[in-house]
Amino acid sequence: MKKIALLILFSTTIGVKAQQRLPLYGAAVPGARPVPADYTEQALTDNNGVLKLSKVSKPELVVYQPAKANGTAVIICPGGGYSFLSIEKEGYAVAKKLNELGITAFVLKYRLPNSAVMQDKTAGPLQDALQAMYLVRKNAAVWGVNPEKIGVMGFSAGGHLAANLSVHYHDAKIENSGDISLRPDFTILIYPLISFVLPTHAGSLNNLLGEEPALEQKRYFSAELQVTEQTPRTFLVHANNDATVPVKNSIAYNEALTKKGVPSEMHIYATGGHGFGLGNKNLPDNWFDRLTNWLKINKLI
């Protein structure tokens, strides 16, 4: 593969270093169908004016480089129920916050599952997460990244994707020239959807797998059932009163990690609800501060 710099579409100043927007695949997107003329990416805003994206069919990485990189990198998967991407609140804003710690951040604009643009809509998001890890690790030197300090972070359905990358990194669904490891070195999950067999978010399940998925599919995409001794160390945050993704999801993943001897740390808040991003008034403290301490303890910053 040519140097990743040749893939840069444009750069803009964001107050830290140049922001790079890169196509995830240098050639054809795997498993893609021709995009219908009326299927175009849409930029939406919520009631607070926060940017969201829908109908994503052209995956990208948006690179946020800190003023002084420490060698650690994080690939960020925004949530949105596999229906849209909360790209600003759970992507760009988080990337800038990680930059303050010296972490190089990569916001993953992954494809949203839709049979109109995919041969197998269940495979698209995980393919994109695998490809993102491939690109970051293969081109680590370009961004001053230590290839042994590359993690993945996800929110809500993006947490489902991040967790599935963490347990299915060996299940190569992309072209991997050079046999590069696709295993994240650590995982950060914020109010994640984990399971399709426990109480779950029905919208995410239907959007990814359809209305009547086979039990085998549901089990494959239930990360708590796929944990091994090689699953990456993990940091989890959830609220007990999350009415969208039950807290049992994080608890089940933490228990599975513990049973396999994988280091994990979990913070459960009494309040906070769902989709709080970097924080809201219902959280008693700043979970990002707790994450910062965990990163320090694990010698990632």
Side-chain angles (χ1 to χ4, degrees):
M1 181 179 293
K2 296 179 180 179
K3 284 186 177 294
I4 199 71
L6 296 179
L7 298 178
I8 296 174
L9 295 184
F10 63 82
S11 298
T12 57
T13 301
I14 60 170
V16 279
K17 274 193 177 181
Q19 176 194 126
Q20 302 169 356
R21 187 175 295 270
L22 314 174
L24 202 57
Y25 301 94
V29 177
R33 298 182 188 275
V35 179
D38 60 349
Y39 194 97
T40 58
E41 184 174 307
Q42 296 180 348
L44 313 169
T45 55
D46 63 16
N47 294 334
N48 297 313
V50 178
L51 177 66
K52 302 188 294 185
L53 300 177
S54 67
K55 294 187 176 181
V56 176
S57 62
K58 296 180 180 179
E60 296 178 332
L61 274 181
V62 185
V63 188
Y64 284 78
Q65 293 183 274
K68 186 176 181 181
N70 61 19
T72 296
V74 172
I75 297 168
I76 305 169
C77 304
Y82 288 118
S83 175
F84 63 88
L85 299 182
S86 184
I87 198 77
E88 183 176 349
K89 184 178 182 180
E90 297 172 352
Y92 303 150
V94 178
K96 294 173 184 177
K97 195 72 174 175
L98 291 171
N99 279 172
E100 294 176 8
L101 302 179
I103 295 173
T104 304
F106 300 81
V107 179
L108 176 58
K109 192 178 84 172
Y110 56 91
R111 286 174 289 165
L112 294 169
N114 192 307
S115 296
V117 294
M118 298 178 183
Q119 295 173 12
D120 178 3
K121 71 173 186 175
T122 70
L126 184 54
Q127 281 180 324
D128 292 351
L130 291 163
Q131 179 71 6
M133 181 60 66
Y134 171 81
L135 285 180
V136 173
R137 185 159 279 137
K138 182 178 179 66
N139 297 283
V142 174
W143 293 297
V145 167
N146 183 336
E148 297 181 356
K149 290 186 176 182
I150 302 173
V152 63
M153 181 178 194
F155 295 75
S156 193
H160 182 262
L161 180 55
N164 273 278
L165 172 62
S166 300
V167 298
H168 290 309
Y169 58 85
H170 58 281
D171 188 4
K173 298 179 182 296
I174 61 169
E175 182 179 346
N176 185 355
S177 60
D179 196 25
I180 291 172
S181 171
L182 304 179
R183 176 186 180 275
D185 295 298
F186 58 96
T187 304
I188 302 166
L189 302 175
I190 314 300
Y191 42 86
L193 171 63
I194 292 293
S195 181
F196 284 154
V197 296
L198 293 172
T200 190
H201 181 241
S204 297
L205 171 62
N206 291 344
N207 288 332
L208 184 64
L209 301 185
E211 294 185 359
E212 297 182 359
L215 178 59
E216 183 180 357
Q217 273 190 314
K218 292 169 68 175
R219 290 181 62 85
Y220 178 88
F221 285 105
S222 294
E224 84 281 11
L225 302 180
Q226 309 299 332
V227 170
T228 70
E229 290 81 359
Q230 286 72 47
T231 302
R233 52 191 160 168
T234 302
F235 178 91
L236 297 114
V237 172
H238 220 119
N240 258 331
N241 69 338
D242 190 330
T244 302
V245 176
V247 70
K248 288 182 179 180
N249 282 262
S250 282
I251 293 172
Y253 195 61
N254 183 69
E255 289 180 346
L257 293 167
T258 300
K259 288 179 180 179
K260 294 295 184 179
V262 177
S264 64
E265 179 172 320
M266 179 172 58
H267 297 275
I268 298 179
Y269 292 98
T271 60
H274 188 77
F276 46 75
L278 288 170
N280 64 28
K281 63 182 180 180
N282 295 316
L283 291 177
D285 66 8
N286 188 334
W287 66 261
F288 196 87
D289 290 341
R290 297 189 180 198
L291 172 61
T292 301
N293 291 334
W294 183 82
L295 293 168
K296 289 178 179 177
I297 289 170
N298 284 278
K299 298 181 180 179
L300 294 167
I301 58 174

